[in-house]
Coordinates of all heavy atoms in Angstrom, one line a residue:
M196 N 10.6 13.4 -23.6 CA 10.9 14.7 -23.3 C 10.8 14.9 -21.7 O 9.8 14.5 -21.1 CB 9.8 15.6 -23.9 CG 10.1 17.1 -23.7 SD 9.0 18.1 -24.7 CE 8.2 19.1 -23.5
V197 N 11.8 15.5 -21.1 CA 11.8 15.7 -19.7 C 11.3 17.1 -19.4 O 11.8 18.1 -20.0 CB 13.2 15.6 -19.1 CG1 13.3 15.9 -17.7 CG2 13.8 14.2 -19.4
L198 N 10.3 17.2 -18.5 CA 9.8 18.5 -18.1 C 10.6 19.1 -17.0 O 10.9 18.4 -16.0 CB 8.3 18.4 -17.8 CG 7.4 17.9 -18.9 CD1 5.9 17.8 -18.3 CD2 7.4 18.9 -20.0
A199 N 10.8 20.4 -17.0 CA 11.5 21.0 -15.9 C 10.6 21.2 -14.8 O 9.4 21.3 -14.9 CB 12.0 22.4 -16.4
E200 N 11.1 21.2 -13.6 CA 10.3 21.5 -12.4 C 9.8 22.9 -12.5 O 10.4 23.8 -12.9 CB 11.3 21.3 -11.2 CG 10.5 21.5 -9.9 CD 11.5 21.2 -8.7 OE1 12.4 22.0 -8.5 OE2 11.3 20.2 -8.1
P201 N 8.5 23.1 -12.1 CA 7.9 24.4 -12.2 C 8.7 25.3 -11.2 O 9.1 24.9 -10.1 CB 6.5 24.2 -11.7 CG 6.5 22.9 -11.0 CD 7.6 22.1 -11.5
S202 N 8.9 26.6 -11.7 CA 9.6 27.5 -10.8 C 9.2 28.9 -11.1 O 8.6 29.2 -12.2 CB 11.1 27.4 -11.0 OG 11.5 27.8 -12.3
L203 N 9.5 29.8 -10.2 CA 9.2 31.2 -10.4 C 10.6 31.9 -10.2 O 11.2 31.7 -9.1 CB 8.2 31.7 -9.3 CG 7.9 33.2 -9.3 CD1 7.3 33.7 -10.6 CD2 6.9 33.5 -8.1
Q204 N 11.1 32.6 -11.2 CA 12.4 33.2 -11.1 C 12.3 34.7 -11.0 O 11.6 35.3 -11.7 CB 13.2 32.8 -12.3 CG 13.5 31.3 -12.3 CD 14.3 30.9 -13.6 OE1 14.5 31.7 -14.5 NE2 14.8 29.7 -13.6
F205 N 13.1 35.2 -10.1 CA 13.2 36.7 -9.9 C 14.7 37.0 -10.1 O 15.6 36.4 -9.6 CB 12.9 37.1 -8.5 CG 11.4 36.9 -8.1 CD1 11.0 35.8 -7.5 CD2 10.5 37.9 -8.5 CE1 9.6 35.6 -7.2 CE2 9.2 37.8 -8.2 CZ 8.7 36.6 -7.5
Y206 N 14.9 38.1 -10.9 CA 16.2 38.6 -11.2 C 16.1 40.1 -10.8 O 15.4 40.8 -11.5 CB 16.7 38.4 -12.6 CG 18.0 39.0 -12.9 CD1 19.2 38.3 -12.5 CD2 18.1 40.2 -13.5 CE1 20.4 38.9 -12.7 CE2 19.4 40.7 -13.8 CZ 20.5 40.1 -13.3 OH 21.7 40.6 -13.6
L207 N 16.8 40.5 -9.8 CA 16.8 41.9 -9.4 C 18.2 42.5 -9.5 O 19.2 41.8 -9.1 CB 16.3 42.0 -8.0 CG 15.0 41.4 -7.6 CD1 14.7 41.5 -6.1 CD2 13.9 42.1 -8.3
E208 N 18.3 43.6 -10.1 CA 19.6 44.3 -10.2 C 19.4 45.7 -9.6 O 19.3 46.7 -10.3 CB 20.1 44.3 -11.6 CG 21.6 44.5 -11.7 CD 22.1 44.3 -13.1 OE1 21.8 43.2 -13.6 OE2 22.8 45.2 -13.6
P209 N 19.4 45.8 -8.3 CA 19.0 47.1 -7.7 C 20.2 48.1 -7.8 O 21.4 47.7 -7.9 CB 18.8 46.8 -6.2 CG 19.6 45.5 -6.0 CD 19.6 44.8 -7.3
E210 N 19.8 49.4 -8.0 CA 20.8 50.4 -8.1 C 21.4 50.7 -6.7 O 22.5 51.2 -6.6 CB 20.2 51.7 -8.7 CG 19.8 51.5 -10.1 CD 19.1 52.7 -10.8 OE1 19.1 53.8 -10.1 OE2 18.6 52.6 -11.9
E211 N 20.6 50.5 -5.7 CA 21.1 50.7 -4.3 C 20.8 49.4 -3.5 O 20.0 48.6 -3.9 CB 20.3 51.9 -3.7 CG 20.5 53.2 -4.4 CD 19.7 54.3 -3.7 OE1 19.1 54.1 -2.6 OE2 19.6 55.4 -4.3
P212 N 21.5 49.3 -2.4 CA 21.3 48.1 -1.5 C 19.8 48.0 -1.1 O 19.2 49.1 -0.9 CB 22.2 48.3 -0.3 CG 23.3 49.2 -0.8 CD 22.6 50.1 -1.9
I213 N 19.4 46.8 -0.9 CA 18.0 46.6 -0.5 C 18.0 46.1 1.0 O 18.8 45.3 1.3 CB 17.3 45.5 -1.3 CG1 17.2 46.0 -2.8 CG2 16.0 45.1 -0.8 CD1 16.6 45.0 -3.7
E214 N 17.2 46.7 1.8 CA 17.1 46.3 3.2 C 16.6 44.8 3.2 O 15.7 44.4 2.5 CB 16.1 47.2 3.9 CG 16.7 48.1 4.9 CD 15.7 48.8 5.7 OE1 15.1 48.2 6.6 OE2 15.4 50.0 5.4
I215 N 17.2 44.1 4.1 CA 16.8 42.6 4.2 C 15.3 42.5 4.6 O 14.6 41.7 4.0 CB 17.7 41.9 5.3 CG1 19.1 41.8 4.7 CG2 17.1 40.6 5.6 CD1 20.1 41.2 5.7
S216 N 14.8 43.4 5.4 CA 13.4 43.3 5.8 C 12.5 43.6 4.6 O 11.4 43.0 4.5 CB 13.1 44.2 7.0 OG 13.3 45.6 6.6
E217 N 12.9 44.4 3.7 CA 12.1 44.7 2.5 C 12.1 43.5 1.6 O 11.0 43.1 1.1 CB 12.6 45.9 1.8 CG 12.4 47.2 2.4 CD 12.9 48.4 1.7 OE1 13.2 48.2 0.4 OE2 13.1 49.4 2.3
L218 N 13.3 42.8 1.4 CA 13.3 41.7 0.6 C 12.6 40.5 1.2 O 11.8 39.9 0.5 CB 14.8 41.3 0.3 CG 15.0 40.0 -0.5 CD1 14.5 40.2 -1.9 CD2 16.5 39.7 -0.6
T219 N 12.8 40.2 2.4 CA 12.1 39.1 3.1 C 10.6 39.4 3.1 O 9.8 38.5 3.0 CB 12.6 38.8 4.4 OG1 12.6 39.9 5.3 CG2 14.0 38.3 4.4
G220 N 10.2 40.6 3.3 CA 8.8 41.0 3.4 C 8.1 40.7 2.0 O 7.0 40.2 1.9
A221 N 8.8 41.1 0.9 CA 8.3 40.9 -0.4 C 8.2 39.4 -0.7 O 7.2 38.9 -1.3 CB 9.2 41.5 -1.5
L222 N 9.2 38.6 -0.3 CA 9.2 37.1 -0.5 C 8.0 36.5 0.3 O 7.4 35.6 -0.1 CB 10.5 36.5 -0.2 CG 11.7 36.8 -1.1 CD1 13.0 36.3 -0.6 CD2 11.4 36.4 -2.5
A223 N 7.8 37.0 1.5 CA 6.7 36.5 2.4 C 5.4 36.8 1.7 O 4.5 35.9 1.8 CB 6.8 37.1 3.8
A224 N 5.2 37.9 1.1 CA 4.0 38.3 0.4 C 3.7 37.3 -0.7 O 2.6 36.9 -1.0 CB 4.0 39.7 0.0
I225 N 4.8 37.0 -1.5 CA 4.7 36.1 -2.6 C 4.3 34.7 -2.1 O 3.4 34.0 -2.7 CB 6.0 36.0 -3.4 CG1 6.2 37.3 -4.1 CG2 6.0 34.8 -4.4 CD1 7.6 37.5 -4.7
A226 N 4.9 34.3 -1.0 CA 4.5 33.0 -0.4 C 3.1 32.9 0.0 O 2.4 31.9 -0.2 CB 5.5 32.7 0.8
R227 N 2.6 34.0 0.6 CA 1.2 34.1 1.0 C 0.2 34.0 -0.2 O -0.8 33.3 -0.2 CB 0.8 35.3 1.8 CG 1.4 35.3 3.3 CD 0.9 36.4 4.1 NE 1.2 37.8 3.6 CZ 2.4 38.4 3.8 NH1 3.3 37.9 4.5 NH2 2.6 39.6 3.2
Q228 N 0.6 34.7 -1.3 CA -0.2 34.6 -2.5 C -0.2 33.2 -3.0 O -1.2 32.7 -3.5 CB 0.3 35.6 -3.5 CG 0.0 37.0 -3.1 CD 0.5 38.0 -4.2 OE1 1.3 37.7 -5.0 NE2 0.1 39.3 -4.1
Y229 N 1.0 32.5 -3.0 CA 1.1 31.2 -3.5 C 0.2 30.2 -2.7 O -0.5 29.3 -3.2 CB 2.5 30.7 -3.5 CG 2.6 29.2 -3.9 CD1 2.4 28.8 -5.2 CD2 2.9 28.2 -2.9 CE1 2.4 27.5 -5.6 CE2 2.9 26.9 -3.3 CZ 2.7 26.5 -4.6 OH 2.7 25.2 -4.9
Q230 N 0.2 30.4 -1.3 CA -0.6 29.6 -0.5 C -2.1 29.7 -0.8 O -2.8 28.7 -0.9 CB -0.4 30.0 1.0 CG 1.0 29.6 1.5 CD 1.2 30.1 2.9 OE1 0.7 31.1 3.3 NE2 2.1 29.4 3.7
T231 N -2.5 30.9 -1.0 CA -3.9 31.1 -1.4 C -4.2 30.4 -2.7 O -5.2 29.7 -2.9 CB -4.2 32.7 -1.5 OG1 -4.0 33.3 -0.3 CG2 -5.7 32.9 -1.9
Y232 N -3.4 30.6 -3.7 CA -3.5 30.0 -5.0 C -3.6 28.5 -4.9 O -4.4 27.8 -5.5 CB -2.4 30.4 -5.9 CG -2.3 29.6 -7.2 CD1 -3.1 30.0 -8.3 CD2 -1.5 28.5 -7.4 CE1 -3.1 29.2 -9.5 CE2 -1.4 27.8 -8.5 CZ -2.2 28.2 -9.6 OH -2.2 27.4 -10.7
A233 N -2.6 27.9 -4.1 CA -2.5 26.4 -4.0 C -3.8 25.9 -3.3 O -4.3 24.8 -3.8 CB -1.3 26.1 -3.2
V234 N -4.3 26.5 -2.3 CA -5.5 26.0 -1.7 C -6.7 26.1 -2.6 O -7.5 25.2 -2.7 CB -5.7 26.7 -0.3 CG1 -7.1 26.4 0.3 CG2 -4.6 26.4 0.7
E235 N -6.9 27.3 -3.2 CA -8.0 27.5 -4.2 C -8.0 26.5 -5.3 O -9.0 26.2 -5.8 CB -8.0 28.9 -4.7 CG -8.4 30.0 -3.7 CD -8.3 31.4 -4.2 OE1 -7.8 31.6 -5.3 OE2 -8.6 32.3 -3.4
N236 N -6.8 26.1 -5.8 CA -6.7 25.2 -6.9 C -6.4 23.8 -6.5 O -6.0 23.0 -7.3 CB -5.6 25.7 -7.9 CG -6.0 27.0 -8.6 OD1 -6.7 26.9 -9.5 ND2 -5.6 28.1 -8.0
E237 N -6.7 23.5 -5.2 CA -6.6 22.1 -4.7 C -5.2 21.5 -4.8 O -5.1 20.3 -5.0 CB -7.7 21.2 -5.3 CG -9.1 21.8 -4.9 CD -10.2 20.9 -5.5 OE1 -9.9 19.9 -6.2 OE2 -11.3 21.2 -5.2
L238 N -4.2 22.3 -4.8 CA -2.8 21.8 -4.8 C -2.4 21.5 -3.4 O -1.4 20.8 -3.1 CB -1.8 22.8 -5.4 CG -2.1 23.2 -6.8 CD1 -1.1 24.3 -7.3 CD2 -1.9 22.0 -7.7
A239 N -3.1 22.1 -2.4 CA -2.9 21.9 -1.0 C -4.3 22.0 -0.3 O -5.2 22.6 -0.8 CB -1.9 22.9 -0.4
T240 N -4.4 21.3 0.9 CA -5.7 21.4 1.6 C -5.7 22.6 2.6 O -6.7 23.0 3.0 CB -6.0 20.1 2.3 OG1 -4.9 19.8 3.2 CG2 -6.2 19.0 1.3
K241 N -4.5 23.0 3.0 CA -4.4 24.2 3.9 C -3.1 24.9 3.6 O -2.2 24.4 3.0 CB -4.4 23.7 5.4 CG -3.4 22.7 5.8 CD -3.6 22.2 7.2 CE -2.6 21.1 7.5 NZ -2.8 20.6 8.9
N242 N -3.1 26.2 4.1 CA -2.0 27.1 3.7 C -0.6 26.5 4.1 O 0.3 26.7 3.4 CB -2.2 28.5 4.4 CG -3.2 29.3 3.7 OD1 -3.7 28.9 2.6 ND2 -3.6 30.4 4.3
S243 N -0.6 25.9 5.3 CA 0.7 25.4 5.8 C 1.3 24.3 4.9 O 2.5 24.0 5.0 CB 0.6 24.9 7.2 OG -0.3 23.8 7.3
E244 N 0.5 23.7 4.1 CA 1.0 22.6 3.2 C 1.5 23.2 1.9 O 2.2 22.5 1.1 CB -0.1 21.6 2.8 CG -0.6 20.8 4.0 CD -1.8 20.0 3.7 OE1 -2.4 20.2 2.7 OE2 -2.2 19.2 4.6
A245 N 1.2 24.4 1.6 CA 1.7 25.1 0.3 C 2.9 25.9 0.6 O 2.8 27.0 1.1 CB 0.5 25.9 -0.3
R246 N 4.0 25.4 0.3 CA 5.3 26.1 0.6 C 6.1 26.3 -0.7 O 6.1 25.5 -1.6 CB 6.1 25.3 1.6 CG 5.5 25.0 2.9 CD 6.3 24.2 3.9 NE 7.3 23.4 3.2 CZ 8.4 23.0 3.8 NH1 8.7 23.3 5.1 NH2 9.3 22.2 3.2
L247 N 6.7 27.5 -0.7 CA 7.7 27.7 -1.8 C 9.1 27.7 -1.2 O 9.3 28.1 -0.1 CB 7.5 29.1 -2.4 CG 6.3 29.3 -3.3 CD1 6.2 30.8 -3.7 CD2 6.4 28.5 -4.5
L248 N 10.0 27.1 -1.9 CA 11.4 26.9 -1.4 C 12.3 27.7 -2.3 O 12.1 27.7 -3.5 CB 11.8 25.5 -1.4 CG 10.9 24.5 -0.7 CD1 11.4 23.1 -0.9 CD2 10.8 24.8 0.8
V249 N 13.3 28.3 -1.7 CA 14.4 29.0 -2.5 C 15.3 27.9 -2.9 O 15.9 27.3 -2.1 CB 15.1 30.1 -1.7 CG1 16.2 30.7 -2.5 CG2 14.1 31.2 -1.3
S250 N 15.4 27.7 -4.2 CA 16.3 26.6 -4.7 C 17.7 27.1 -5.1 O 18.6 26.3 -5.1 CB 15.7 25.8 -5.9 OG 15.6 26.7 -7.0
V251 N 17.8 28.4 -5.5 CA 19.1 28.9 -5.9 C 19.2 30.3 -5.5 O 18.3 31.1 -5.7 CB 19.2 28.8 -7.5 CG1 20.5 29.4 -8.0 CG2 19.1 27.4 -8.0
V252 N 20.3 30.7 -5.0 CA 20.7 32.1 -4.8 C 22.1 32.3 -5.3 O 23.0 31.6 -5.0 CB 20.7 32.5 -3.2 CG1 21.1 33.9 -3.0 CG2 19.3 32.2 -2.7
K253 N 22.2 33.2 -6.3 CA 23.5 33.4 -7.0 C 24.2 34.7 -6.5 O 23.5 35.7 -6.2 CB 23.3 33.4 -8.5 CG 22.7 32.1 -9.0 CD 22.5 32.2 -10.5 CE 22.0 30.9 -11.0 NZ 21.7 31.0 -12.5
P254 N 25.5 34.7 -6.4 CA 26.2 35.9 -6.0 C 26.1 37.0 -7.1 O 25.8 36.8 -8.2 CB 27.6 35.5 -5.8 CG 27.7 34.2 -6.7 CD 26.4 33.6 -6.7
G255 N 26.3 38.2 -6.6 CA 26.3 39.4 -7.6 C 24.9 40.1 -7.4 O 24.7 40.7 -6.4
S256 N 24.1 40.0 -8.4 CA 22.8 40.6 -8.3 C 21.9 39.6 -7.5 O 22.4 38.6 -7.0 CB 22.2 40.7 -9.7 OG 22.2 39.4 -10.3
I257 N 20.7 40.0 -7.3 CA 19.8 39.1 -6.6 C 19.0 38.3 -7.6 O 18.3 38.8 -8.4 CB 18.8 39.9 -5.7 CG1 19.5 40.8 -4.7 CG2 17.8 39.0 -5.0 CD1 18.6 41.8 -4.0
D258 N 19.3 37.0 -7.6 CA 18.8 36.0 -8.6 C 18.2 34.9 -7.8 O 18.9 34.1 -7.2 CB 19.9 35.5 -9.5 CG 19.4 34.9 -10.8 OD1 18.2 34.8 -10.9 OD2 20.2 34.4 -11.6
I259 N 16.9 34.9 -7.7 CA 16.2 33.9 -6.8 C 15.3 33.0 -7.6 O 14.6 33.5 -8.5 CB 15.3 34.7 -5.7 CG1 16.2 35.6 -4.9 CG2 14.6 33.7 -4.8 CD1 15.4 36.5 -4.0
N260 N 15.4 31.7 -7.4 CA 14.6 30.7 -8.0 C 13.7 30.1 -7.0 O 14.2 29.4 -6.0 CB 15.4 29.7 -8.7 CG 14.7 28.8 -9.6 OD1 13.6 29.2 -10.2 ND2 15.1 27.6 -9.8
L261 N 12.4 30.2 -7.1 CA 11.4 29.6 -6.1 C 10.8 28.4 -6.7 O 10.3 28.5 -7.9 CB 10.4 30.7 -5.7 CG 10.9 31.9 -5.0 CD1 9.7 32.9 -4.8 CD2 11.5 31.6 -3.7
V262 N 10.7 27.3 -6.0 CA 10.0 26.1 -6.5 C 9.0 25.7 -5.4 O 9.2 25.8 -4.2 CB 11.0 25.0 -6.8 CG1 11.9 25.4 -7.9 CG2 11.8 24.6 -5.6
P263 N 7.9 25.1 -5.9 CA 6.9 24.5 -4.9 C 7.6 23.4 -4.2 O 8.5 22.7 -4.7 CB 5.8 24.0 -5.8 CG 6.0 24.6 -7.1 CD 7.4 24.9 -7.3
D264 N 7.2 23.2 -2.9 CA 7.7 22.1 -2.1 C 6.9 20.8 -2.5 O 5.9 20.5 -2.0 CB 7.5 22.4 -0.6 CG 7.9 21.3 0.3 OD1 8.6 20.3 -0.2 OD2 7.6 21.3 1.5
L265 N 7.5 20.1 -3.5 CA 6.8 18.9 -4.0 C 6.8 17.7 -3.1 O 6.0 16.8 -3.2 CB 7.4 18.5 -5.4 CG 7.2 19.6 -6.5 CD1 7.9 19.2 -7.8 CD2 5.7 19.9 -6.7
V266 N 7.8 17.8 -2.1 CA 7.8 16.7 -1.2 C 6.5 16.7 -0.3 O 6.0 15.6 -0.1 CB 9.1 16.9 -0.2 CG1 9.0 15.9 0.9 CG2 10.3 16.7 -1.1
S267 N 6.1 17.9 0.1 CA 4.8 17.9 0.8 C 3.6 17.4 0.0 O 2.8 16.7 0.5 CB 4.5 19.4 1.3 OG 5.5 19.8 2.2
T268 N 3.6 17.8 -1.3 CA 2.6 17.3 -2.2 C 2.6 15.8 -2.3 O 1.5 15.2 -2.2 CB 2.7 18.0 -3.6 OG1 2.7 19.4 -3.4 CG2 1.6 17.6 -4.5
V269 N 3.7 15.2 -2.5 CA 3.8 13.8 -2.6 C 3.4 13.1 -1.3 O 2.7 12.1 -1.3 CB 5.2 13.4 -3.0 CG1 5.4 11.9 -3.0 CG2 5.5 13.9 -4.5
A270 N 3.8 13.7 -0.2 CA 3.5 13.2 1.1 C 2.0 13.2 1.3 O 1.4 12.3 1.9 CB 4.2 13.9 2.2
M271 N 1.3 14.3 0.9 CA -0.1 14.3 1.0 C -0.8 13.3 0.1 O -1.8 12.7 0.5 CB -0.6 15.7 0.6 CG -0.4 16.8 1.6 SD -1.0 18.4 1.1 CE -1.6 18.2 -0.6
A272 N -0.2 13.0 -1.0 CA -0.9 12.1 -1.9 C -0.6 10.6 -1.5 O -1.3 9.7 -2.0 CB -0.3 12.3 -3.4
G273 N 0.4 10.4 -0.7 CA 0.8 9.0 -0.3 C -0.4 8.2 0.2 O -0.6 7.1 -0.3
P274 N -1.2 8.7 1.2 CA -2.3 7.9 1.6 C -3.3 7.6 0.5 O -4.0 6.5 0.5 CB -3.0 8.7 2.7 CG -1.9 9.6 3.2 CD -1.0 9.9 2.0
L275 N -3.4 8.4 -0.5 CA -4.3 8.2 -1.6 C -3.8 7.1 -2.5 O -4.5 6.4 -3.2 CB -4.6 9.5 -2.3 CG -5.2 10.6 -1.5 CD1 -5.3 11.9 -2.3 CD2 -6.6 10.2 -1.0
L276 N -2.5 7.1 -2.6 CA -1.8 6.2 -3.6 C -1.6 4.8 -3.0 O -1.5 3.8 -3.7 CB -0.5 6.7 -4.0 CG -0.5 8.0 -4.8 CD1 0.9 8.5 -5.1 CD2 -1.3 7.8 -6.1
A277 N -1.6 4.7 -1.7 CA -1.3 3.4 -1.0 C -2.2 2.3 -1.5 O -1.8 1.2 -1.8 CB -1.4 3.5 0.5
P278 N -3.6 2.5 -1.5 CA -4.4 1.4 -2.0 C -4.1 1.0 -3.4 O -4.2 -0.2 -3.8 CB -5.8 2.0 -1.9 CG -5.7 3.1 -0.9 CD -4.3 3.6 -1.1
L279 N -3.8 1.9 -4.3 CA -3.4 1.6 -5.7 C -2.2 0.8 -5.7 O -2.1 -0.2 -6.5 CB -3.3 2.9 -6.5 CG -2.9 2.8 -7.9 CD1 -3.9 2.0 -8.7 CD2 -2.6 4.1 -8.6
I280 N -1.2 1.2 -4.9 CA 0.1 0.4 -4.9 C -0.2 -1.0 -4.4 O 0.4 -2.0 -4.9 CB 1.1 1.2 -4.0 CG1 1.5 2.5 -4.7 CG2 2.3 0.3 -3.8 CD1 2.3 3.4 -3.8
D281 N -1.0 -1.1 -3.4 CA -1.3 -2.5 -2.9 C -2.0 -3.3 -4.0 O -1.7 -4.5 -4.1 CB -2.3 -2.4 -1.7 CG -1.6 -1.8 -0.4 OD1 -0.3 -1.8 -0.4 OD2 -2.2 -1.4 0.5
K282 N -2.9 -2.7 -4.7 CA -3.6 -3.5 -5.8 C -2.5 -4.0 -6.8 O -2.6 -5.2 -7.3 CB -4.6 -2.6 -6.5 CG -5.9 -2.6 -5.9 CD -6.9 -1.9 -6.8 CE -8.3 -1.9 -6.3 NZ -9.2 -1.2 -7.1
V283 N -1.6 -3.1 -7.2 CA -0.6 -3.5 -8.2 C 0.3 -4.6 -7.6 O 0.6 -5.6 -8.3 CB 0.2 -2.3 -8.6 CG1 1.4 -2.7 -9.5 CG2 -0.6 -1.3 -9.4
A284 N 0.7 -4.5 -6.4 CA 1.5 -5.5 -5.8 C 0.8 -6.8 -5.7 O 1.4 -7.9 -5.9 CB 1.9 -5.0 -4.4
D285 N -0.5 -6.8 -5.3 CA -1.3 -8.0 -5.2 C -1.4 -8.7 -6.6 O -1.3 -9.9 -6.7 CB -2.7 -7.7 -4.7 CG -2.8 -7.5 -3.2 OD1 -1.8 -7.8 -2.6 OD2 -3.8 -6.9 -2.8
R286 N -1.6 -7.9 -7.7 CA -1.6 -8.5 -9.0 C -0.3 -9.2 -9.4 O -0.3 -10.3 -10.0 CB -1.9 -7.4 -10.0 CG -3.4 -7.1 -10.1 CD -3.6 -6.2 -11.3 NE -5.0 -5.7 -11.2 CZ -5.4 -4.6 -11.9 NH1 -4.6 -4.0 -12.7 NH2 -6.7 -4.3 -11.8
K287 N 0.8 -8.6 -9.0 CA 2.1 -9.1 -9.4 C 2.3 -10.4 -8.6 O 2.9 -11.4 -9.1 CB 3.2 -8.1 -9.1 CG 3.2 -7.0 -10.1 CD 4.4 -6.1 -9.9 CE 4.4 -5.0 -11.0 NZ 5.6 -4.2 -10.9
V288 N 1.9 -10.5 -7.4 CA 2.0 -11.7 -6.5 C 1.2 -12.8 -7.2 O 1.6 -13.9 -7.3 CB 1.7 -11.4 -5.1 CG1 1.5 -12.7 -4.3 CG2 2.7 -10.5 -4.4
R289 N 0.0 -12.5 -7.6 CA -0.9 -13.5 -8.2 C -0.4 -14.0 -9.5 O -0.4 -15.2 -9.8 CB -2.3 -12.9 -8.4 CG -3.1 -12.8 -7.1 CD -4.5 -12.3 -7.4 NE -5.0 -11.6 -6.3 CZ -5.8 -10.5 -6.3 NH1 -6.1 -10.0 -7.5 NH2 -6.2 -9.9 -5.2
Q290 N 0.2 -13.1 -10.3 CA 0.8 -13.5 -11.6 C 2.0 -14.4 -11.4 O 2.3 -15.3 -12.1 CB 1.1 -12.3 -12.4 CG -0.1 -11.5 -12.9 CD 0.3 -10.2 -13.6 OE1 1.5 -9.8 -13.6 NE2 -0.7 -9.6 -14.2
A291 N 2.7 -14.1 -10.3 CA 4.0 -14.9 -10.1 C 3.6 -16.3 -9.5 O 4.4 -17.2 -9.6 CB 4.8 -14.2 -9.1
S292 N 2.4 -16.4 -8.9 CA 2.0 -17.7 -8.3 C 1.6 -18.7 -9.4 O 1.3 -18.6 -10.4 CB 0.8 -17.5 -7.4 OG 1.2 -16.6 -6.4

């Protein structure tokens, strides 16, 4: 079973146009809340590492899909995984010898 990437989806169908500053201000507030959540739940070590990315914007209504920046998360985990990868590589070399 393939799991979908975690995301937060917003679908807005405003009766009147929305000011860009209002929309971006609301998205910035959501990003700040996510940063707090990510640091508190050890998904990131500092706010700047916890980023949400807009993955889809569709024409017509406002349909926004936000996803965590998993590239940063993987990059942070890299130094932790390196010793494990080295161990696995060493075993394979020994088995091949």
Side-chain angles (χ1 to χ4, degrees):
M196 181 172 128
V197 176
L198 297 176
E200 184 175 70
S202 67
L203 175 63
Q204 296 178 346
F205 292 96
Y206 177 79
L207 306 173
E208 202 168 306
E210 293 179 10
E211 297 179 12
I213 296 177
E214 252 186 74
I215 290 176
S216 61
E217 289 179 19
L218 178 60
T219 56
L222 292 173
I225 291 166
R227 286 189 301 275
Q228 288 180 347
Y229 175 73
Q230 288 173 334
T231 300
Y232 169 83
V234 170
E235 287 175 357
N236 290 278
E237 299 179 356
L238 300 173
T240 57
K241 55 187 177 181
N242 285 349
S243 62
E244 294 172 351
R246 301 180 336 154
L247 285 177
L248 305 175
V249 175
S250 67
V251 176
V252 177
K253 297 180 181 177
S256 56
I257 301 171
D258 196 0
I259 302 170
N260 189 31
L261 300 174
V262 296
D264 179 10
L265 298 178
V266 172
S267 294
T268 303
V269 171
M271 286 181 354
L275 301 173
L276 295 175
L279 178 62
I280 293 169
D281 289 342
K282 273 187 177 180
V283 171
D285 286 344
R286 279 188 189 164
K287 287 187 178 183
V288 168
R289 284 186 209 141
Q290 288 174 353
S292 300

